[in-house]
Amino acid sequence: MPKKIIQLILLLISCILLVGCSSSKINNPKDGFQFSLLSDGTYELISIQNKDATHLIIPDKYQNKLVTKIGPSVFEKCTKLEKLIMPKTIVSIGEKAFYNCSYLEELRIPENVTYIGKEAFRGCKLPKELILPNNLSFIGEGAFSNSSSVENIIIPNGVTCIEKETFYSCDQLKNVTLSEGLEIISDLAFAQCYQLKSINIPSTVNYIGEKVFMECKSLERIIIPEGVKTLRYSTFARCSNLREIALPESLENIEDSVFEYTNLGYIDIPKNVKRIGEKAFYKCHNLEEIKIPEGVITIETSTFENCESLRQVILPDSLNYINEKAFLNCVSLTSIIIPDNVTIIRDETFKNCKKLSQVMFPEKLYHIGKMAFQDCVSLLNVVFSENLFSIDEQAFFNCEKLTTVVFPESLIEIKNGAFKNCVSLANIDLPSNLYLLEHSAFSGCESIVKVTIPKDIIEISDELFFGCINLVEVEMHDNIIVIGARAFSKCEKLNSIKLSKKLNTIGNEAFYECTSLEKLFIPISVIKIGKDVFPKSSIVTIYCEAEEKPQGWDREWKYGGIKTHWNSTEEDMK
């Protein structure tokens, strides 16, 4: 065969393989498509040469055989593509086929398409009315995510599952119609669809994934169908306008953060719910009342934290645990009845519940955690059950209206700052079995007049009664060995105190500004005294059983003007 004829044939074959098109020249080789023959005798479009094309028409045939598929990532880098016409022969659109075609706005998906792959149209502009074909049965993960203009979508009834992130961050999407037959809505399916106002979930749906409607800030109301047993993590989190929700009787589990930052004013929790997760209602600012159904065992961490309008809570008898920060900053809550099976009130549970005036404590309660009732400034009276043995750090700190506390004989420890700045607390009857009174436990309790220290206490801790300006009398037994730094500092009305015969240490500024204390006897057992123990007091004379200043006493242990009598007895002071 002549050489020129062979060259002509090869050129003709090349032209056939590069069947191209644009808005003006369908066969422009610069826009040439490449195809791959499939096992069923049809062709799949696998690549395009001209990535700068703005208008394209995909042919319905290649070499007289149907083009039925658009392969993965074919148009992925076509960042200038604005309009695309697909033939009716297309049945499948592959993964990332049009990924980030950010100008693609004119598009119609053919009626015969049954499959749209993962992230196929992710980041595309897309038309405002996106019409999906009735034959469609599968939409892949993130298929239409990050579309900047689509507003309305109807999901055909052949689709049984909306995959993960399918419409994620379609920030102009307003209306979605889901068809009967849909069973699963997967994680993040409609998350960050900021304009989504309404959506009807079909009765056939039985699974709703995590964060499905998270940050749908325009969503106002929704009905969850029967059959759904679990609302998963952050399903409606940050739906800041969500005011109404109807939950099904089938619901058993509300997971963490499901309704956080929503606008719910009331919610009816179905009787079959057995668990409510952490932060489930966190910062639901308008939630006013809630009844927890029987069967719930635990109120998890921060479940109702920052529910600023919550004024009434009914807890079930089945409740065993109330975890950290469960009602933190519920500033409208006025009273609470804690069920009898609750044994521990954990850290910061009711902290800053400023209107909480009445608390009924359970019979089995044995521990109150750190800052559990801190800043409950309206709390008036506290009566503990006989099983309580520990009150932790700052548990009632700044409960400024608290006037009465009834301690049970079972109580053995009161920790740092437990009742600090309870300025209205007048009388405290410490239980005889108490053996630990930690730093600042009653510091700033300005109304306390008299204190009797239980026999098992061996140390008056630092700042234990600091600033108790009305404290007149302290009864101490002979087992006390330490008076800590600033223990009685600024106790302005303290006029007498008898130190233990076993006392060996008096800390810095222990009696600083005790302006009513005129005289004091220091037993010979005291071998260490800190700095400035007695300055700015009214003490005129100190009687010391020691013959001279012991070596362990700070050289500035007292104010210079105070008289000291060495080798004295208690009788000498009378």
Side-chain angles (χ1 to χ4, degrees):
M1 185 178 292
K3 184 176 181 180
K4 288 185 176 181
I5 294 175
I6 293 173
Q7 290 175 341
L8 184 60
I9 292 171
L10 290 173
L11 180 61
L12 182 61
I13 292 171
S14 297
C15 290
I16 292 171
L17 291 173
L18 296 172
V19 175
C21 57
S22 69
S23 60
S24 57
K25 295 182 179 180
I26 293 177
N27 293 313
N28 187 342
K30 292 189 298 181
D31 297 333
F33 297 122
Q34 287 187 340
F35 299 88
S36 176
L37 186 63
L38 301 171
S39 59
D40 64 357
T42 63
Y43 276 98
E44 177 181 15
L45 175 60
I46 59 172
S47 71
I48 176 175
Q49 281 190 336
N50 185 6
K51 297 293 186 178
D52 293 326
T54 58
H55 295 67
L56 290 172
I57 300 174
I58 300 173
D60 60 350
K61 291 182 180 180
Y62 176 71
Q63 292 186 343
N64 291 322
K65 293 184 178 179
L66 297 178
V67 176
T68 59
K69 291 187 177 182
I70 298 173
S73 304
V74 173
F75 299 94
E76 182 174 350
K77 295 182 179 180
C78 294
T79 56
K80 296 180 180 180
L81 185 61
E82 297 176 5
K83 181 178 180 180
L84 178 76
I85 298 176
M86 287 185 274
K88 295 180 179 179
T89 56
I90 297 295
V91 298
S92 175
I93 299 172
E95 183 176 316
K96 294 188 175 181
F98 298 92
Y99 186 90
N100 274 346
C101 292
S102 55
Y103 287 95
L104 181 57
E105 185 174 12
E106 294 189 46
L107 171 74
R108 186 175 182 87
I109 300 173
E111 191 60 34
N112 290 320
V113 170
T114 61
Y115 179 95
I116 297 176
K118 180 180 179 180
E119 298 182 321
F121 295 94
R122 184 184 181 99
C124 294
K125 192 172 184 181
L126 298 180
K128 290 183 178 180
E129 301 284 337
L130 183 61
I131 301 174
L132 299 179
N134 290 326
N135 291 318
L136 188 65
S137 59
F138 181 84
I139 306 173
E141 291 183 13
F144 298 97
S145 59
N146 295 97
S147 169
S148 60
S149 61
V150 63
E151 294 183 3
N152 301 295
I153 295 175
I154 299 175
I155 307 296
N157 56 19
V159 176
T160 58
C161 175
I162 297 178
E163 299 287 344
K164 182 180 178 181
E165 298 185 21
T166 299
F167 299 99
Y168 175 78
S169 198
C170 291
D171 54 16
Q172 297 301 313
L173 184 61
K174 295 179 180 178
N175 298 296
V176 176
T177 301
L178 304 177
S179 300
E180 291 292 323
L182 183 68
E183 297 176 3
I184 297 171
I185 306 176
S186 300
D187 299 351
L188 292 155
F190 296 96
Q192 293 186 5
C193 292
Y194 300 131
Q195 303 299 321
L196 184 62
K197 293 184 177 180
S198 64
I199 186 167
N200 293 322
I201 301 178
S203 62
T204 50
V205 169
N206 54 50
Y207 180 97
I208 298 175
E210 295 183 358
K211 303 180 182 180
V212 168
F213 298 100
M214 186 179 72
E215 293 191 72
C216 291
K217 296 182 179 181
S218 298
L219 190 64
E220 295 181 355
R221 55 185 60 85
I222 197 163
I223 299 173
I224 307 299
E226 286 294 336
V228 173
K229 293 184 177 181
T230 299
L231 290 179
R232 289 170 174 80
Y233 175 69
S234 291
T235 309
F236 297 98
R238 299 177 185 270
C239 292
S240 53
N241 279 302
L242 182 63
R243 298 195 305 269
E244 298 177 23
I245 187 164
L247 302 178
E249 289 299 314
S250 59
L251 192 67
E252 298 175 357
N253 186 11
I254 299 173
E255 289 190 352
D256 299 351
S257 302
V258 168
F259 297 107
E260 73 171 15
Y261 287 98
T262 60
N263 199 31
L264 293 170
Y266 173 79
I267 186 167
D268 186 7
I269 300 178
K271 62 182 180 181
N272 291 317
V273 170
K274 297 296 185 289
R275 181 180 182 271
I276 301 173
E278 295 183 8
K279 291 190 172 183
F281 295 92
Y282 179 81
K283 285 198 173 182
C284 290
H285 294 303
N286 289 313
L287 186 64
E288 294 187 3
E289 58 184 76
I290 196 158
K291 181 179 180 179
I292 310 298
E294 287 294 334
V296 172
I297 295 174
T298 303
I299 304 294
E300 299 288 358
T301 301
S302 299
T303 299
F304 298 98
E305 181 179 347
N306 286 316
C307 291
E308 297 173 353
S309 299
L310 187 63
R311 52 184 175 76
Q312 183 178 9
V313 176
I314 299 176
L315 301 176
D317 291 337
S318 59
L319 196 69
N320 290 337
Y321 306 99
I322 302 177
N323 284 346
E324 293 87 349
K325 302 180 181 180
F327 297 94
L328 173 65
N329 290 334
C330 291
V331 295
S332 298
L333 187 64
T334 58
S335 63
I336 191 85
I337 299 173
I338 302 174
D340 280 341
N341 288 322
V342 174
T343 57
I344 298 175
I345 298 174
R346 300 187 186 274
D347 299 351
E348 300 184 69
T349 299
F350 295 96
K351 181 181 177 181
N352 203 39
C353 292
K354 292 187 180 297
K355 292 186 178 180
L356 185 63
S357 60
Q358 296 181 353
V359 178
M360 184 172 290
F361 290 93
E363 288 295 322
K364 296 180 181 179
L365 183 69
Y366 64 80
H367 178 76
I368 297 174
K370 296 176 183 177
M371 298 179 279
F373 294 91
Q374 179 177 320
D375 293 319
C376 291
V377 294
S378 297
L379 191 61
L380 298 174
N381 302 297
V382 171
V383 179
F384 298 117
S385 69
E386 283 300 324
N387 291 303
L388 184 71
F389 75 81
S390 176
I391 301 175
D392 215 328
E393 297 175 15
Q394 299 184 19
F396 294 89
F397 178 78
N398 272 346
C399 292
E400 57 186 37
K401 290 187 178 180
L402 184 63
T403 58
T404 305
V405 177
V406 178
F407 295 110
E409 283 300 308
S410 58
L411 187 66
I412 59 175
E413 58 182 24
I414 299 176
K415 293 194 173 181
N416 295 351
F419 294 91
K420 185 175 181 178
N421 290 349
C422 292
V423 294
S424 299
L425 188 59
N427 296 302
I428 52 171
D429 186 7
L430 297 176
S432 59
N433 292 320
L434 192 70
Y435 75 85
L436 182 64
L437 268 174
E438 284 192 349
H439 177 85
S440 306
F442 294 96
S443 174
C445 293
E446 298 179 354
S447 299
I448 291 178
V449 175
K450 179 181 178 179
V451 173
T452 301
I453 307 298
K455 59 181 175 54
D456 290 330
I457 298 293
I458 61 172
E459 179 178 356
I460 307 296
S461 302
D462 294 353
E463 299 187 16
L464 182 59
F465 298 102
F466 178 92
C468 293
I469 58 176
N470 284 298
L471 182 62
V472 174
E473 184 179 354
V474 178
E475 291 185 8
M476 287 195 293
H477 55 79
D478 277 339
N479 291 325
I480 300 291
I481 61 174
V482 175
I483 295 177
R486 296 171 295 281
F488 296 97
S489 182
K490 297 191 177 183
C491 291
E492 298 173 0
K493 293 188 178 180
L494 183 64
N495 56 32
S496 67
I497 187 167
K498 183 178 181 180
L499 302 182
S500 163
K501 292 180 180 180
K502 296 180 182 179
L503 185 69
N504 61 44
T505 300
I506 302 175
N508 294 341
E509 302 180 7
F511 296 93
Y512 185 87
E513 291 192 19
C514 290
T515 54
S516 298
L517 192 61
E518 296 183 354
K519 53 188 177 180
L520 186 70
F521 177 77
I522 301 177
I524 197 168
S525 58
V526 177
I527 58 175
K528 183 178 179 181
I529 294 182
K531 185 179 179 181
D532 294 334
V533 173
F534 301 105
K536 294 189 178 180
S537 69
S538 297
I539 292 181
V540 177
T541 307
I542 294 178
Y543 297 86
C544 301
E545 192 173 9
E547 294 182 356
E548 59 183 11
K549 184 175 82 69
Q551 188 174 358
W553 292 21
D554 191 281
R555 65 180 181 177
E556 297 181 11
W557 66 283
K558 66 179 178 67
Y559 182 69
I562 299 176
K563 293 180 182 180
T564 306
H565 293 283
W566 301 101
N567 196 23
S568 300
T569 66
E570 286 188 78
E571 293 297 322
D572 295 331
M573 191 176 67
K574 295 180 179 179

